Amino acid sequence: MKMFAEMLPLLVFTTFAGLAAGAYAVDALCGNGRAGSGAATPARPWLFPLVCLVLLGLGLCGTLLHLGQPLRFVNGMANPGSMIAQEAYWSIAFGTVIVIDLAVAKAKGSAVRPIRWAGGLVAVGLMVVTGLAYYQSLGLPAWSGAATVPLFLVGDLALGAGLCALLDRSALAGGVLAAANVAAGVALAAVLGAFGLHLARIGLDATGLLVAAGIV
């Protein structure tokens, strides 16, 4: 129970922040360039960045709960080489782009694609850094496999593709977003299978992951 309580904040960060990052990356790829196009409907172009900002905020709350004390956050930020500092830097940069996107979309009444592209690039950086933070965790052989970083990256993209479809179901008719959802699901199943094989190779139970790969 104690271990679960310690891991829950990390789960909150990786899930909610990863969901926001994955959605921005998918929107950057699948937006067709029309004013107001992308994951937010033309009538509500501010909805997409608002939802992602809330998700990122929830994820960062998980990070603060994991650290436990504000001083630990300050100490972590003071060490740029640490992975938690890298996650914080990329999260701040990502959040800044989201706020700019939200303000511009609300003022102009349409999404500005270059801002979404910038958000997508920063989002990819955040996803990769998050995966590297787990990959470099000393003493945890389960995370030391080659599939760790792809697991976080592809998993976040799969979550993000689903969020984009949820926020603008009409975009599925165009085919690009639908294809992105299918491609992300297939890639996630493959990565889950690879990660499960890594767990089995080092003697850990991979049954749950392999079942999840089959379901995906």
Side-chain angles (χ1 to χ4, degrees), residues 5-80:
E6 292 175 350
M7 297 302 296
L8 181 59
L10 291 178
L11 179 62
V12 169
F13 172 77
T14 54
T15 301
F16 289 103
L19 175 56
Y24 254 85
V26 170
D27 182 77
L29 291 174
C30 296
N32 61 20
R34 291 187 297 105
S37 68
T41 61
R44 296 180 295 175
W46 46 265
L47 180 61
F48 177 70
L50 177 61
V51 170
C52 290
L53 185 62
V54 171
L55 290 171
L56 179 62
L58 290 173
L60 291 176
C61 287
T63 298
L64 293 176
L65 290 174
H66 172 66
L67 293 174
Q69 299 177 5
L71 186 59
R72 291 179 181 173
F73 179 79
V74 174
N75 290 337
M77 291 287 288
N79 182 14

